[in-house]
Amino acid sequence: MTSNNTTDESGKLIAVIGDEDTVVGFLLAGIGHRTTEGQNFLVVKSDTERAVIEDTFNQFGNRNDIGIILINQHIANEIRHVL
């Protein structure tokens, strides 16, 4: 029996906000998606501004093609007020 759901959850992406090791690991696993509109990952370095992290998190949260946002704990602590 098939279902005619209008929302197909199987096509959702995983977005990653993390340090270089975390993001590279997930990219090597195949989660990377880059288009002319943007990408589904952000590498956070020591000089990355908090506003950039917050904006990226909000953009990922508003995208219909992203089902999960993975974020490192130490980075999540920096933007806890947004979470």
Side-chain angles (χ1 to χ4, degrees), residues 10 16 30 37-38 47 57 59 63 75 77 81:
S10 65
V16 180
E37 290 88 33
D47 61 344
F57 179 82
Q59 288 172 13
R63 286 178 49 178
I75 297 167
N77 288 338
H81 61 281

Side-chain angles (χ1 to χ4, degrees), residues 32-69:
H33 183 76
R34 179 178 263 172
T35 64
T36 55
E37 290 88 33
Q39 55 201 25
N40 66 330
F41 56 90
L42 173 69
V43 176
V44 177
K45 298 182 179 182
S46 59
D47 61 344
T48 304
E49 295 183 18
R50 182 181 295 171
V52 172
I53 302 168
E54 292 172 2
D55 290 343
T56 302
F57 179 82
N58 288 328
Q59 288 172 13
F60 288 165
N62 291 326
R63 286 178 49 178
N64 291 330
D65 62 338
I66 293 180
I68 296 173
I69 301 173

